[in-house]
Every structure is written in C-alpha cells, then in structure tokens.
Amino acid sequence: MTHSSKAFYWMAIPALLLFVTLHTVPALTGVFFSLTDYAGYGTWTFIGLENYFSLFKDDRILSSYSFTFLFAITTTIIVNVLALGIAMLLNAKIKFQTAFRGIFFIPNVLAILIIGYVFNFIFSNSLPLLGQWAGIDWLSTSILANKDLAWLGIVAVSAWQSIAFSVILYLAGLQTIPADLYEAADLDGAGYWRQFRSITFPMIGAFFTINMVLALKGFLQAFDQIVALTGGGPGTSTESVAMVIFRGGFQGGEYGYQMANSVVYLLVIVAVSVIQLRTLQRKEVDF
Amino acid sequence: MFQLKHWRARALSAALAAVLLTSCAGPPAGNVVTLSFFQFKPEAVQEFAGLIDEFEAANPGIRVLQNNVPDPDTAIRTLLVKNKTPDVLTLNGNASFGLLAKACVFADLSQEPSAQEVLPAVQDILNANGRCRDSEINGLPMANNASGILYNPEIFAKYGVSVPQTWDGLIAAAETFKANGVAPFYMTLKDAWTTSPALVNLAAQLQPEGFFDRLRAAGTDRNNSPVSFSKDYQEVADKLLQLFTYAQPGAAGVDYASGNKAFADGKSAMYLNGSFAVPAIRAANPEAKIATFPYPVTNNPANTTVVSGVDVTLAMGRETPHRAEAQKFIDFLLSKEVIDRYAKNQSAFAPTRSAAPQQDPALQGMASYFTSGKLDGYMDHQLPPSIPLVNITQQFVLDGDKARYLNTLDNEWFKIAARMPKRGDQ
Amino acid sequence: MATTETAASARTAADTRGLRRRGRKLDSVNWPLTALAAVLALTVLIPLYLTVVTALKTPDQLGGPGFEWPSRVRLENFSDAWNLTNFPRALLNSAIVTVGAVVLTVLSNSLVAYAIARNLHKRFFKFLYYFFVAALFVPFPIIMLPATKETALLGLDNPVGLFLLYTVYGLSFNVFVYTAFIRSIPRELEEAATMDGASTWGIFRRIIFPLLTPMNATVGILTCLWAWNDFLLPLVILSDPATRTLPLAQYVFQSQFTTNYTVAFASYLMALAPLLLVYLFAQRWVISGVMRGSIK
C-alpha cells in the first residue's frame, strides 16, 4: 500500500503549501501587527501587548461583543429551525418543486444594497401602517429606529437572507437518507413526528452540526447587513464587532489596535465553536 | 461538411483574436507616460472621463488611467500596501485624508503655480486636517461643498417669513411654520450622519478659539485639560437639541433619500443639510424649490460663517516617477475653465480666486461668504475617524441626554489619545 | 455485492425522495405542503416585487407607498445600467473569476478531502483536517492587508490570483463538508477496484469523484455564489480597473450623498439572472447525481 499512500500525500501537500502561503502567512502577519501601532500605512513601532490592555478598557468594544453575541445566537437558532423545515418542504412531493427551489434561493443572491433598501422601506413604511391599523404600539414606528428593537429587525433580515444557504446544505443532507428507512417506519406505523425524530434528524445530524457551527460563526462576523439596515444605530446600539474592526482599523487608522481586537475575536469564535461542536456531536448519531 | 465547419471555426477564432488584440493594444507604447489617477467620486466618472480626453488631446505624450474605486477609504489603503500609490489622486478632504497626509503619503505641492490661486481660507481648512510637515501643502482643493440651511422660498413667501439672520430669528421662523401646521424642518434621523450638518455649524461658531489644538495639547490628561466637550460644548448641545425638537413625527425612522424627496415636494419649509444635497433633491423632483442661507448660530449676524469642506482634493503620490506629467495634469484640473465647469456641473463651490461665482440660484445664499472667505472647517475632520461621532450624536438627538453625550465624546477622545500617544498630537 | 446494494438503495432514494405520509401513494402531489410552500414563498416574492417595481420607476416616483405599479415605466434604467457599469466587460470578468473558482475548487478540494478522509487515522492527515477547518474561524480583517500585499508581490493581483484565492480559502469549508460525505461512502468499492489494479488516482477519478456529484454540485453552487457576489476580496486584490467584477462595477450608483436606486436595482436584477439559472441547473444535478454516480 505504500504507493497508494504516497499518492495521498501528493494529493494533499500542494494544497497545503498554497494554503500556508496565501492564508497562514498573512494571518500570522496580521497577528504580529496586533503588537504594533501600525496604521496600515507609513511607519510603525513594536509596542508589545499594549493594544490588548487598551482593549479591555474600551467600553465600546465590550458593548459591541454583547450585541454581537445576542444577535448571533438568536439568528442561528431561527435560521436553522426554519431552514430545516423549508428543506424538508422542498424535498417533499410538492408541485412546482423546481420553481420553489429557485424562489427560496433568491434572498441569498440579492445584492445587499437591494436588501437594505427594500427592508428599510418595509420597516419604516409598510409595517408601521400595519401596526397603526392593528393598534400595536411598538410596530407603529420603524423598529429600526427603536434602540431596543432595532436588533430584532436585523435578526429578521439576516435570517431571511441566510436561510437559503442552510437550505442548500440541508437538501444535500436529505439526499443521503435511504428511502427504505421511511418505508420500514411506515410499515411500523410510525407517525410523522416520530419519523422526523428517529430517522430524518439523526440521519442528517452531521449536516445539522455543520449548519449550526457555520451559521453561528457567520453571524458572529456580521457586517454588511448591519451597515445596510442601521449603520450601527440608533446610536451605537447595533454596532457589531466586525463593524468596529472595519471602521476603526481600515477607515479610522487604528489598524494595529483593531488587529488586537481581531485576535481576541478569533479566540472567542474558536472557543464558542469548539464548545458548540462538542455539544452537538455528542448528540449526533454516527453513521 | 466537417471541413467547412472547421474552416468556419478557425475564421471565427481568428476574428475574435483580432478583436481582442485591437481592444487591448491601445496607442503605441513609445514615449507615452501613463499616469494612474485615483478618482474617488462615482458620480463624477463621466465628468472626469471627458476632462481626461481633453487633457490627452492637448498632451499627446501623456495618458491618464482613471481608476474609480468603491469604498475609497479602504481602496487607497490597499494600493498603499501594494506599493502602488497612484500618481494623481482625488480624495475627500476629511480626517482620513489628514491621517494619510500626516503619514507623508502625498507630495508637497506648495511650489505649484496653481497653489497660489487657491483661496487662503480654503487652503487653511485643508491644511488643518493634517500634513506631512508644517511648510508643506499636501493637497489642493478642486471643489468645495458648503453646509447651510436649505429652504423653500415659496413656503417662506406664503407665510411672510424672511430669511433669518439670527438664532432668535431662526427659532421665530420655525415657530411661525409650526403654528401654521407646516413642518419647519424635515429631519432624517434614520441616517445618523444627517445630524452632523447642524452640529458642525453650531460647533464652528460656538466652540472656543483653538479648541482642538488645546484638546490635543492636553494629551491623555482628561482631568487637567483646559478644554473638553463637557465644559465647552454645552451651548452647542443645547442648540442642537432645540433644533431637533422641531422634528416631524416619525423622524427617527426617515432616511436621507426620503427626506430629500419630502423636501423636494414641499413637505417642509427648511432642511438642515448642505450644497451636497442639492443634486439629490433635484433628482427626486426636478421642480423642487431650493434656496439656502448660512446657519445663524448666534444673535450677531457678523459672526455667521459657512462651514465648508474640500469635497475634491487633488494630491500627488510622494514617490511618483512622473512628477512633471502629474503636475501638468493637476494644473490642468485646476485651470479656471475646468474649475468653473466642474463647480457648475456638480453643484460645488470653486475654491480659487479667479473662479466665476456660483450661478446656481439654490446656492446663492452662501456664495458671498465664500468669496469673502468667511469660512470654517468641519469640526468632525478634527476628530480621529475611529470615533463614531455621527452615531453618538444621533443617540443624543433621540434621547436628549446631554451630560451623557458630552461625557461620551470626552471619553472616546481621551481613550484614543491614550492608545495613539504619538499619532494623536502629531 | 456492495456495489449493487448501494446502487439499489441510492436508486430508491432518488425515486422516492421526500417526506412521506403514512399510507400515501409515493408519487402523488402533496397539495397541503404545496400551499404552505406558496405562502412561505410570499416572504421572498413581496420584497422581490418591490425590487422589480423600483427598477422600473423614475427617481421621482420613489417614496410613497412603494407597492404601486409605476405610472411611467422606465426601461432605460436597464440600458443606463448596462452602459454605466460597462456591463459586458464586468460580466465577462465576473464569469472568468466565478467559472475559474468553481472548476478549480470542485476538482482540487474534493481531491484534498479524499486524501484526508481516507487517512484520518494518520497523524499528518488528522492535523491537516483540523488545520484547514480551524482556518474557517479566522476573521477576514486579520488577513486582509497582509494577503493583499502578498498577492501583489507574487504578481497575483489579477483575476487569476482572485480565483486561486477563492479555491484556497474555500478549502477550509469544503474539506469539512466533503470529508463528512466521503466517510459515508463504503470502502468496499475502492478495495474491489484496487484488486482490479486501479491506482489511487484512478479510483478517485473513476469511483469517488462521480459518487461525489451531489456534493460537487452543492460545493459548486456555494462557491459560485461566493465568487459572484463577493465585494471585499476583489476590492482589495484587483489592481487593474479593467478587470473589475460586477459587484465593484455596480458601486458606481452609490455616491457619498446620493444613491441612484432605480438604475442600481436594474443592474442588480441583470446580475441576478445568470446566477439563478446556474442554481436551477445545478439543483437538478444534486438530485439526479446520486443515481448516476452509483450506477457506473
């Protein structure tokens, strides 16, 4: 088997080299700059861990972390519940299946400018009309302009936009379930809910894990949709970590400082994902 | 049959190759110098393309390659790290431009003949944002904007209101409109930055002389600083809040685009904005009635100034190998004819001595301040761009908590001063 | 033996995919679920309708209730968008980058994942797996400026460099999903082929890669989406304005103080169409792939 194992190395090593050159080296360079006062241009000096000390004294950074977590966890749960449901729906014997698959795919392809404009419009014009008609107070004005509710608007739009991505993965997962399992269950007289719990969900467990981890990781890095919907406002109530990094680091000239923030952010994301993987995989049925 | 198909395919690919070659080749490489020209305004791409054609026709040895990049703040940084600093650039003359100038990215243009033409008040505003050395000029203004109060002359005439000259006059006018059921201002609080035209005008006239110089000199020592936002911005904050009490219902959810449309359709008497909004308002309604007057911030009309920023700054890469050609191009862009045309087409103010006065009736109200040099710079160009000033101000206008607002500004300022001890007071 | 078994079960899976209700004929249409899908589709169709209507308006018709059909339809929005973005050029650039990224990603990433999935018991490959997957969590801002500098130094600040970057950066995610899928393919198939004298490369090409078809289509769709819509990477990597992709070219409608929404929306709709076609085409592949792959 030596020649076959040699072939395996040949398959992997060129990719590894490219990856190290184009990803790992830049990442380490970025980490290094977190120890400097580099502005992204011009000269710099090495300042040790000073950026990291300043970070923990910066209340704006801390509040951006708490907003980001609240937002990311809520959206991840909503997206996965809905995406799994829609994937099963699209996989069922429905009429116009192709057309529906196309339609549910659209939000993922729409440009962020469109999404921002259309939903700003819906939130500030259409929904308030509905709210006034129904006499619901909090809905009678734009929820994006409400300091306490704006984040829910962002959750809704982010979920709307990213469900398609999770649906694609869930659909791929549903294809891997052998049909005879359902036939056997039908014969045993298992109900719909029972089939979902004992066949569908366990069989796509790996895809559920992948989707949960990816969604949380993606929403922890949310940026575009927040800029398009609220610009971090009202005030700084919906400012995400990625937004603080971009505004301060690339537009604001505090590159080194925001690199330190990025490193902490990386560690936080990894820690959260590892915990998440451990918990989810324990529940996953290996097949 | 096969033969024929083959022949056809070959002819087709030959034709394709020919098309590709001719479209890529361009003029002979000979002694032609190509200038890379970073142009930050998407709306001015066609304008500059026309100007470049003219320039190239007059200077056969020079080609200019316009590069209009989205997100110019980020794009210019990537060009810098690639060591591809453009030969000639336009940028907004804001705080980010100041940071780049301080880092000595741009050439010194103080010896340029066209530098002598620039209105001194405008050059001072630009230089105040930052430069490499105090003797240098790192950017020359090509077009300026001006922030002032836009108003609808028909509504003013209908209720017999004349243009306010004083703060009390402004408030009285607002009260008159309010009493007659007309929205005095149309506020667009959804877009945080639209709170800043009012803020910068109040700050420019009400903050103590040399406020930011003294604040920078204080370094990181918040407690012993002779000036601070909490001490010196009380009146600014009070008057800002007073203006925003006139916001129409639901203003918190209205964005800038809807505001332009509403003002264009005569839904309010005044609009707290500036010359930069005029093209957008006209796009929303070509029949819009627009006129302007400067913010009367105090009760002494002699104090009134116009806050103006350099909308288009011309700069040159410090290490450009084509200095003579770049200079030629900059001189061309700053020639009287080009400046006048650009100002006219883009609703801007021309920042040179010889320029023709702005003829646009919408901008007449501020034109005289421009020629007489009664100008102030944008206060936010003095703040590090990593402070989210507009968001903080939006928050204040919504909740009215003055103490917290001013404290937040002080807090952000001194936090950054502590992080960037060297850069903060360069 | 094993081959026929998988093929058989895969065939049934393809024929009878979907949710089954007790006692129902397998091929009859489920109308209640169709109705539910239609209701849910409204959440997409309403915003889409707003988009289309906006793309047909003149700027002075914006605002107001927004849902009404434009009183004057302005189809010139589309030709304006075509000219202002230099649409054919930008479309070609986007197509080159996207096709390059998809083809290279599907071919190379599946290969790397195959090597990893079959050798996870070896320390090197296990390390490789975690190394690639860990990179998934590195926020883009960390690598942004250094990667920009490096690609420029290597002369890769062009479309070729761009699709190479998508391929390499895609490894993190794709290795993750491919490996999960490959591990569910029984090894007996490969062992039989080895007995017949096939090389490891040959096994990958003739057995594994065809079996991966549904996964290839999924990875292809996701890569296509990413490369087609991405804004930030082209913004920082591409140096020559002539190589600008669609998302960059479309920025011409957004200036500092105004956005030309009507023309912008027209241009976004034009950019959306090819992607939707690709998706529908690739979706059929996801479904039919299971069967085709295993029959061989």
Side-chain angles (χ1 to χ4, degrees):
Chain A
M1 286 307 262
T2 24
H3 87 101
S4 95
S5 79
K6 205 184 257 173
F8 282 129
Y9 284 100
W10 274 111
M11 287 173 179
I13 286 178
L16 176 66
L17 291 180
L18 268 177
F19 192 85
V20 168
T21 318
L22 295 174
H23 193 280
T24 315
V25 171
L28 293 177
T29 316
V31 173
F32 171 76
F33 279 128
S34 74
L35 305 171
T36 69
D37 66 351
Y38 191 39
Y41 49 83
T43 55
W44 52 268
T45 42
F46 186 82
I47 56 168
L49 291 175
E50 231 171 87
N51 284 329
Y52 290 87
F53 295 136
S54 311
L55 212 53
F56 290 100
K57 286 183 279 185
D58 193 341
D59 46 349
R60 196 175 145 216
I61 303 257
L62 298 178
S63 68
S64 72
Y65 272 90
S66 58
F67 161 73
T68 307
F69 265 90
L70 178 67
F71 160 78
I73 293 171
T74 318
T75 319
T76 301
I77 294 169
I78 293 177
V79 163
N80 277 281
V81 170
L82 292 179
L84 184 54
I86 290 175
M88 285 163 60
L89 188 63
L90 291 178
N91 207 36
K93 275 274 162 216
I94 54 170
K95 194 84 181 154
F96 316 118
Q97 199 185 39
T98 318
F100 279 124
R101 285 190 179 191
I103 290 171
F104 284 108
F105 175 73
I106 288 173
N108 209 1
V109 200
L110 277 186
I112 193 69
L113 179 79
I114 290 192
I115 296 178
Y117 179 86
V118 166
F119 280 94
N120 262 312
F121 188 88
I122 290 176
F123 281 129
S124 23
N125 298 15
S126 317
L127 287 183
L129 281 181
L130 192 72
Q132 285 155 16
W133 173 79
I136 306 168
D137 221 26
W138 58 267
L139 204 57
S140 308
T141 52
S142 171
I143 68 164
L144 292 180
N146 184 326
K147 201 171 116 212
D148 302 315
L149 297 178
W151 73 279
L152 286 174
I154 300 173
V155 166
V157 176
S158 305
W160 182 83
Q161 189 194 6
S162 15
I163 279 176
F165 182 92
S166 304
V167 167
I168 292 174
L169 282 181
Y170 279 129
L171 275 176
L174 290 172
Q175 301 296 325
T176 64
I177 307 177
D180 36 11
L181 285 180
Y182 289 108
E183 278 154 24
D186 268 342
L187 289 179
D188 291 348
Y192 178 68
W193 176 240
R194 172 89 206 171
Q195 287 190 12
F196 173 77
R197 277 191 46 193
S198 9
I199 304 175
T200 314
F201 195 71
M203 288 303 283
I204 59 161
F207 288 86
F208 180 72
T209 308
I210 289 176
N211 261 332
M212 287 292 282
V213 173
L214 280 180
L216 186 63
K217 173 222 123 193
F219 293 129
L220 282 173
Q221 304 191 13
F223 176 69
D224 284 355
Q225 62 270 52
I226 304 179
V227 173
L229 286 171
T230 63
T236 51
S237 59
T238 58
E239 209 176 33
S240 73
V241 182
M243 230 164 131
V244 172
I245 292 176
F246 252 90
R247 287 186 168 173
F250 299 112
Q251 289 155 7
E254 287 195 283
Y255 178 73
Y257 178 63
Q258 291 302 345
M259 282 305 101
N261 189 8
S262 308
V263 171
V264 171
Y265 184 41
L266 164 67
L267 296 177
V268 168
I269 295 175
V270 169
V272 170
S273 303
V274 168
I275 296 170
Q276 203 189 359
L277 265 175
R278 287 259 163 100
T279 346
L280 289 173
Q281 269 172 344
R282 203 168 294 155
K283 298 195 170 142
E284 208 178 278
V285 178
D286 221 319
F287 59 94
Chain B
M1 193 63 190
F2 248 113
Q3 286 284 318
L4 190 66
K5 259 191 191 158
H6 200 76
W7 178 84
R8 263 196 205 155
R10 216 187 273 170
L12 194 69
S13 61
L16 252 173
V19 170
L20 280 175
L21 277 177
T22 43
S23 64
C24 295
N31 290 323
V32 174
V33 167
T34 302
L35 293 178
S36 59
F37 173 47
F38 182 94
Q39 198 282 104
F40 85 106
K41 265 183 173 305
E43 67 271 35
V45 171
Q46 306 295 330
E47 186 87 42
F48 275 102
L51 290 173
I52 288 169
D53 285 345
E54 267 175 54
F55 177 74
E56 286 179 343
N59 299 276
I62 309 177
R63 281 188 71 202
V64 179
L65 200 65
Q66 180 178 196
N67 184 11
N68 172 248
V69 186
D71 195 356
D73 278 341
T74 309
I76 187 68
R77 277 163 179 73
T78 67
L79 288 174
L80 294 180
V81 301
K82 288 179 187 173
N83 277 327
K84 293 194 174 175
T85 311
D87 299 311
V88 180
L89 314 84
T90 69
L91 279 171
N92 185 275
N94 57 17
S96 295
F97 174 82
L99 289 178
L100 292 171
K102 273 187 210 166
C104 298
V105 169
F106 306 127
D108 176 21
L109 300 176
S110 58
Q111 303 310 313
E112 285 280 297
S114 33
Q116 320 312 318
E117 267 295 300
V118 173
L119 291 173
V122 175
Q123 191 67 60
D124 288 347
I125 288 173
L126 191 57
N127 291 347
N129 293 353
R131 42 185 167 166
C132 181
R133 285 193 202 89
D134 280 347
S135 59
E136 293 192 5
I137 289 182
N138 298 122
L140 295 172
M142 181 175 171
N144 267 52
N145 58 34
S147 112
I149 297 178
L150 277 58
Y151 71 98
N152 184 323
E154 278 183 1
I155 299 181
F156 268 56
K158 188 174 169 193
Y159 297 99
V161 175
S162 55
V163 170
Q165 305 284 322
T166 61
W167 175 258
D168 291 345
L170 178 65
I171 298 301
E175 287 295 339
T176 308
F177 293 123
K178 197 176 156 191
N180 286 294
V182 175
F185 304 99
Y186 208 87
M187 306 292 196
T188 54
L189 285 171
K190 178 70 189 10
D191 281 317
W193 70 267
T194 62
T195 56
S196 75
L199 171 69
V200 296
N201 275 283
L202 291 164
Q205 295 175 48
L206 295 176
Q207 74 191 3
E209 206 46 46
F211 175 75
F212 280 102
D213 287 336
R214 284 194 277 162
L215 197 57
R216 272 187 285 267
T220 61
D221 190 0
R222 178 173 176 176
N223 295 329
N224 293 313
S225 171
V227 289
S228 73
F229 291 99
S230 301
K231 279 184 222 153
D232 302 292
Y233 264 57
Q234 293 285 341
E235 192 183 351
V236 174
D238 286 333
K239 285 186 166 168
L240 186 67
L241 206 55
Q242 194 179 355
L243 284 179
F244 278 89
T245 54
Y246 292 104
Q248 79 282 9
V254 177
D255 65 5
Y256 172 66
S258 320
N260 290 338
K261 173 81 178 143
F263 178 70
D265 293 346
K267 299 234 171 79
S268 78
M270 292 178 273
Y271 194 41
L272 296 174
N273 228 298
S275 60
F276 39 81
V278 170
I281 295 170
R282 285 191 178 136
N285 180 356
E287 310 290 302
K289 303 282 176 291
I290 318 169
T292 44
F293 61 90
Y295 282 80
V297 168
T298 63
N299 282 330
N300 179 1
N303 288 343
T304 303
T305 56
V306 161
V307 166
S308 175
V310 181
D311 199 23
V312 182
T313 308
L314 284 168
M316 192 195 292
R318 203 170 182 91
E319 312 291 342
T320 172
H322 310 301
R323 176 141 191 152
E325 291 83 0
Q327 220 154 348
K328 220 172 189 175
F329 184 52
I330 290 181
D331 286 340
F332 167 75
L333 291 177
L334 288 175
S335 64
K336 175 176 159 46
E337 206 227 335
V338 173
I339 292 247
D340 284 349
R341 192 166 10 138
Y342 188 89
K344 186 164 172 279
N345 294 344
Q346 304 280 329
S347 300
F349 286 96
T352 52
R353 293 177 214 263
S354 60
Q358 177 53 259
Q359 295 299 318
D360 188 334
L363 302 176
Q364 279 308 299
M366 297 189 291
S368 67
Y369 289 81
F370 225 84
T371 38
S372 63
K374 290 177 78 173
L375 300 176
D376 272 313
Y378 278 85
M379 154 267 190
D380 55 334
H381 293 178
Q382 301 296 318
L383 290 177
S386 49
I387 297 183
L389 173 71
V390 295
N391 289 79
I392 299 172
T393 306
Q394 178 196 38
Q395 180 65 54
F396 165 56
V397 170
L398 289 170
D399 68 18
D401 189 340
K402 185 172 71 168
R404 193 171 77 175
Y405 174 53
L406 298 176
N407 182 47
T408 306
L409 287 179
D410 280 327
N411 184 26
E412 290 290 325
W413 174 277
F414 286 101
K415 224 162 53 184
I416 289 174
R419 290 205 294 263
M420 313 169 85
K422 281 185 295 139
R423 293 184 201 281
D425 55 7
Q426 234 169 19
Chain C
M1 247 304 265
T3 324
T4 36
E5 236 175 59
T6 348
S9 78
R11 202 172 299 135
T12 357
D15 288 342
T16 62
R17 65 185 179 273
L19 296 175
R20 254 149 241 92
R21 319 271 323 222
R22 248 177 312 164
R24 276 217 172 218
K25 275 273 183 199
L26 291 177
D27 48 352
S28 67
V29 171
N30 187 332
W31 285 106
L33 284 184
T34 305
L36 180 62
V39 171
L40 287 176
L42 283 180
T43 62
V44 176
L45 291 176
I46 290 172
L48 190 68
Y49 170 77
L50 259 177
T51 309
V52 174
V53 168
T54 307
L56 294 174
K57 284 181 176 175
T58 51
D60 59 304
Q61 294 180 70
L62 293 178
F67 284 96
E68 74 282 0
W69 190 255
S71 51
R72 293 189 314 281
V73 170
R74 189 174 186 276
L75 287 175
E76 290 91 330
N77 286 341
F78 288 88
S79 53
D80 284 358
W82 182 278
N83 295 329
L84 278 170
T85 52
N86 198 351
F87 197 80
R89 179 93 211 205
L91 188 73
L92 182 68
N93 291 335
S94 273
I96 291 172
V97 170
T98 308
V99 171
V102 169
V103 171
L104 206 60
T105 299
V106 168
L107 293 181
S108 67
N109 290 6
S110 58
L111 186 70
V112 177
Y114 173 57
I116 290 176
R118 285 295 180 246
N119 294 285
L120 267 179
H121 54 282
K122 289 189 186 136
R123 204 190 267 164
F124 173 73
F125 287 96
K126 198 171 179 123
F127 161 77
L128 215 54
Y129 177 74
Y130 285 109
F131 182 67
F132 284 145
V133 174
L136 198 53
F137 300 96
V138 175
F140 185 68
I142 291 193
I143 61 167
M144 189 169 112
L145 282 192
T148 306
K149 192 182 182 105
E150 222 185 280
T151 44
L153 281 176
L154 297 171
L156 288 173
D157 51 344
N158 50 38
V160 175
L162 196 55
F163 69 64
L164 192 66
L165 283 182
Y166 287 124
T167 308
V168 174
Y169 291 172
L171 268 174
S172 293
F173 170 71
N174 298 334
V175 160
F176 194 33
V177 290
Y178 270 128
T179 307
F181 194 88
I182 293 172
R183 293 188 71 194
S184 72
I185 299 175
R187 272 168 189 263
E188 290 82 4
L189 290 176
E190 291 152 72
E191 279 159 16
T194 316
M195 304 259 206
D196 295 345
S199 70
T200 312
W201 297 92
I203 291 174
F204 174 75
R205 199 158 52 87
R206 289 206 303 275
I207 299 175
I208 302 296
F209 192 75
L211 275 175
L212 286 177
T213 304
M215 216 57 220
N216 287 338
T218 307
V219 167
I221 291 171
L222 296 177
T223 309
C224 181
L225 257 179
W226 181 28
W228 187 265
N229 282 332
D230 192 24
F231 171 74
L232 211 48
L233 209 52
L235 174 73
V236 299
I237 297 298
L238 297 176
S239 293
D240 181 358
T243 58
R244 189 166 295 171
T245 57
L246 272 171
L248 296 184
Q250 287 170 329
Y251 220 81
V252 74
F253 308 112
Q254 273 171 288
S255 60
Q256 200 182 358
F257 296 114
T258 40
T259 301
N260 194 347
Y261 287 108
T262 54
V263 183
F265 276 39
S267 109
Y268 287 124
L269 283 177
M270 292 195 298
L272 176 88
L275 206 53
L276 210 56
L277 291 179
V278 168
Y279 174 73
L280 289 178
F281 179 72
Q283 261 302 321
R284 288 168 190 274
W285 223 12
V286 172
I287 298 155
S288 64
V290 181
M291 203 164 62
R292 249 203 339 201
S294 40
I295 282 174
K296 284 195 178 165

